[in-house]
Amino acid sequence: MPEKNPVAANLASAATDGLWLDPSVPANSYYIGGVQVHFPFKPYPSQLAMMNHMIRALNGSQNTMIESPTGSGKSLALLCASLAWRQSFMAKRRQLLANVNQIISRFCRDNHQLLVAKFAGDIDADDAELEHASAPDKPSKPRDPELAEPARPKDNDDDDDDFMPTAKSKVPEETKNKPNHDPAYLQQMALIRRAETVDYIIDLARTRMPDGVSLDDLSVLSGFKDQGEEASHAPRIYFGTRTHKQVSQLIDELRRKTPYRLRTAVLGSRAQTCIHGRAKKAAASGESVDDMCRTLREDDNCGPFRAYRKIIGHKKLARRGELEIWDLEDLVSLGRKNMACPYFASRDMAGTAELVFCPYNYILDPAVRKAAGINLDHNVVILDEAHNIENAARDAGSFEVTDSQLSVLAFECAKLIGDQHVHDGELLTIGGGVILLEEHRVLRTFAETLSNWLQRDSNTYEYRDFETETSVWPKPDCPVSLVLQRLALTPEVVARIKSAFSKID
């Protein structure tokens, strides 16, 4: 049965890191796979099944493929399930870190000499640990739960390393005046170097349980150690779609239908987001917006680029702001009003966002993924409308080239080679710049070879659109190996071409 008015009741406790619940958006609450999911209406059976399947996969860090009929509300179910899981994951993570910090604080209170040996560096650690191991075991005293300070989860990830000061233990008179022997300092060091301290406590427990640490505490520390980096990692959700229109639909559903609010970002191309007049004129005349953008920035002639941080700090995009969840059109409009670049602002904000929307190629294409600074390790990746993945993956592993592009490349390389002359033993162009003669010859040869092969009578092409004919390789009678053989593209030749291109670029 759904809980009544769950959003208003859970508003304070539900705010995990940047994610919070908007009480003005009506929603029911369902427990699915141990996770509380806020859904805008009574879900269809297919939506319940999808959310259950997805949450089980996320809990197990597994891949999953979900298929459901058109019109069954797949996208909304995927959004709510993934955001609910992240909310639950972050709450458990904060609780674990709070418990670990509390155990470390108790260890610091009762084991001053071991801390000095570990972090102060002027007492032999082996001697201190030998003394600890040979000391007689003390009967463990059960802690009164009413007297023990409860572990409190933090409201913000940035505060995970904060700690509450504990009572100072007795310190030998000869060391209490040394700054690096101060109990508060040592506790701070132990908490800052949390993973190292956990390893230290576990190693000590192999010979004798340290004072102030119980078997239950040791189990908590071992669980933290087993999780490794994931214990301190906040997973980001990458939501990939085929087109930007689908991204807009997802954002609209997230804003209007769900109570989830969090830091979001949308990745798009320069052609979609550039507001510079010269770049837009270049696009209108068929020139590359990317090339014009690079030229303007290299010449320090792009005012919006220099001011793009105005967008990042804008109050409308802040937590609980009017555009906390924004689309590219919102960002472009804000960029025009502030004469700030939406493209670089969106890329910067994607680095701190908890949910990132992007087209498939930002996830599937390694070159695009690297350029956008996307790291998929230990993060959640959702590919909506996945029946389009085959074509997207093929595009990511392929390239398109026209005979006119090859002709221009060969002509430009030949012109540069022909224009060079020698001055004081150095090859120079007429403009005075250094010319890489051998590298340009390699690229010219490659362009001419490929162009000549494309124009062979034995190759067949199909009409695609105005003044364009196309062909796709490999073909049944022409495998890739045969194509490479006819082009003399051996691994050594390919390596030379890549080297030449990288040096010229």
Side-chain angles (χ1 to χ4, degrees):
M1 294 292 291
E3 295 180 356
K4 300 300 182 183
N5 300 321
V7 175
N10 297 321
L11 180 60
S13 62
T16 62
D17 54 287
L19 193 154
W20 60 285
L21 300 174
D22 187 349
S24 67
V25 180
N28 292 324
S29 179
Y30 299 85
Y31 281 89
I32 303 174
V35 172
Q36 187 180 26
V37 181
H38 300 281
F39 207 73
F41 48 79
K42 183 178 180 180
Y44 303 130
S46 60
Q47 289 176 317
L48 283 172
M50 277 189 288
M51 289 190 285
N52 179 58
H53 198 72
M54 184 171 185
I55 289 172
R56 285 171 53 198
L58 289 170
N59 284 334
S61 299
Q62 297 173 331
N63 298 325
T64 185
M65 182 166 60
I66 303 173
E67 184 176 7
S68 187
T70 302
S72 57
K74 295 188 294 294
S75 300
L76 186 61
L78 292 174
L79 277 172
C80 290
S82 59
L83 294 177
W85 174 85
R86 190 183 187 280
Q87 183 183 47
S88 173
F89 176 89
M90 293 301 295
K92 293 175 182 176
R93 169 188 174 274
R94 281 196 314 280
Q95 185 62 56
L96 173 62
L97 294 178
N99 290 340
V100 169
N101 286 350
Q102 190 180 70
I103 294 169
I104 291 175
S105 296
R106 288 201 302 270
F107 171 79
C108 294
R109 180 192 62 202
D110 298 336
N111 299 274
H112 181 263
Q113 286 299 101
L114 289 173
L115 281 177
V116 172
K118 179 66 177 176
F119 296 113
D122 57 356
I123 295 180
D124 188 271
D126 292 336
D127 291 345
E129 291 173 19
L130 181 61
E131 180 182 348
H132 160 76
S134 60
D137 289 335
K138 297 180 181 178
S140 60
K141 297 179 180 180
R143 291 188 297 273
D144 188 341
E146 294 183 359
L147 298 179
E149 182 183 359
R152 292 175 298 207
K154 305 288 188 294
D155 288 334
N156 190 296
D157 283 350
D158 296 335
D159 297 326
D160 284 339
D161 289 332
D162 289 350
F163 57 91
M164 297 297 293
T166 58
K168 293 184 180 181
S169 60
K170 293 183 179 180
V171 184
E173 186 70 24
E174 65 271 15
T175 64
K176 67 179 182 179
N177 294 324
K178 295 183 179 181
N180 60 345
H181 288 192
D182 180 69
Y185 165 81
L186 292 171
Q187 178 172 310
Q188 182 179 10
M189 289 297 299
L191 288 167
I192 290 174
R193 295 158 64 174
R194 181 166 46 205
E196 186 179 343
T197 305
V198 168
D199 289 341
Y200 185 51
I201 296 173
I202 293 174
D203 288 341
L204 291 171
R206 291 192 175 99
T207 56
R208 179 178 173 272
M209 190 70 71
D211 294 339
V213 179
S214 67
L215 287 174
D216 289 341
D217 293 339
L218 195 64
S219 177
V220 172
L221 297 181
S222 297
F224 173 82
K225 181 178 180 179
D226 291 341
Q227 291 187 30
E229 294 181 1
E230 293 186 32
S232 301
H233 175 68
R236 180 175 296 136
I237 300 173
Y238 289 100
F239 207 114
T241 65
R242 185 172 62 89
T243 65
H244 179 66
K245 182 179 179 182
Q246 291 173 327
V247 170
S248 299
Q249 292 171 349
L250 284 168
I251 292 172
D252 183 61
E253 287 199 328
L254 179 62
R255 279 196 290 214
R256 291 192 305 107
K257 296 182 179 180
T258 81
Y260 294 104
R261 299 293 180 263
L262 70 167
R263 294 191 299 269
T264 62
V266 184
L267 294 173
S269 65
R270 287 180 174 88
Q272 294 172 299
T273 54
C274 185
I275 62 171
H276 197 286
R278 286 177 58 184
K280 297 197 71 71
K281 288 180 181 178
S285 61
E287 298 179 47
S288 170
V289 177
D290 291 358
D291 291 343
M292 179 58 70
C293 173
R294 294 187 185 95
T295 300
L296 290 169
R297 287 188 293 115
E298 288 172 0
D299 296 340
D300 195 23
N301 196 22
C302 184
F305 170 71
R306 293 193 296 270
Y308 78 87
R309 289 182 179 82
K310 287 183 180 179
I311 297 179
I312 298 173
H314 201 282
K315 62 180 181 180
K316 286 188 176 182
L317 301 177
R319 179 181 171 90
R320 301 178 186 266
E322 180 184 339
L323 297 175
E324 182 177 9
I325 298 175
W326 50 268
D327 197 359
L328 279 183
E329 286 74 13
D330 301 320
L331 208 64
V332 170
S333 176
L334 201 60
R336 289 199 180 101
K337 291 178 181 177
N338 293 272
M339 283 306 296
C341 178
Y343 175 76
F344 284 97
S346 66
R347 289 180 56 138
D348 196 302
M349 287 187 285
T352 57
E354 294 143 334
L355 173 61
V356 178
F357 296 98
C358 58
Y360 289 150
N361 63 315
Y362 279 80
I363 296 173
L364 299 177
D365 192 321
V368 177
R369 190 167 64 237
K370 181 179 179 181
I374 294 176
N375 181 11
L376 302 181
D377 292 343
H378 305 303
N379 289 320
V380 178
V381 178
I382 302 173
L383 299 175
D384 198 15
E385 303 290 342
H387 56 273
N388 298 299
I389 289 299
E390 183 179 359
N391 290 334
R394 184 185 297 113
D395 290 342
S398 305
F399 71 96
E400 290 187 2
V401 63
T402 66
D403 55 351
S404 60
Q405 289 172 332
L406 292 171
S407 298
V408 170
L409 174 60
F411 174 79
E412 292 291 343
C413 287
K415 187 174 184 300
L416 286 171
I417 294 169
D419 284 347
Q420 60 83 27
H421 66 279
V422 177
H423 178 71
D424 291 336
E426 185 180 39
L427 287 175
L428 301 174
T429 63
I430 289 178
V434 176
I435 177 73
L436 299 173
L437 187 60
E438 183 59 31
E439 285 75 10
H440 282 87
R441 281 177 177 162
V442 170
L443 290 188
R444 183 188 67 177
T445 301
F446 169 68
E448 290 176 344
T449 301
L450 187 55
S451 180
N452 292 335
W453 179 76
L454 288 173
Q455 295 174 20
R456 290 177 55 177
D457 293 337
S458 58
N459 291 329
T460 57
Y461 297 89
E462 298 176 359
Y463 178 81
R464 183 171 66 177
D465 51 33
F466 181 67
E467 293 185 346
T468 303
E469 291 181 319
T470 186
S471 187
V472 177
W473 284 273
K475 302 178 184 297
D477 59 341
C478 186
V480 171
S481 59
L482 183 58
V483 173
L484 297 177
Q485 180 183 343
R486 290 173 176 174
L487 291 171
L489 288 177
T490 63
E492 293 77 13
V493 172
V494 171
R496 287 184 62 193
I497 294 171
K498 287 183 176 179
S499 175
F501 180 79
S502 63
K503 289 180 180 179
I504 293 173
D505 189 52

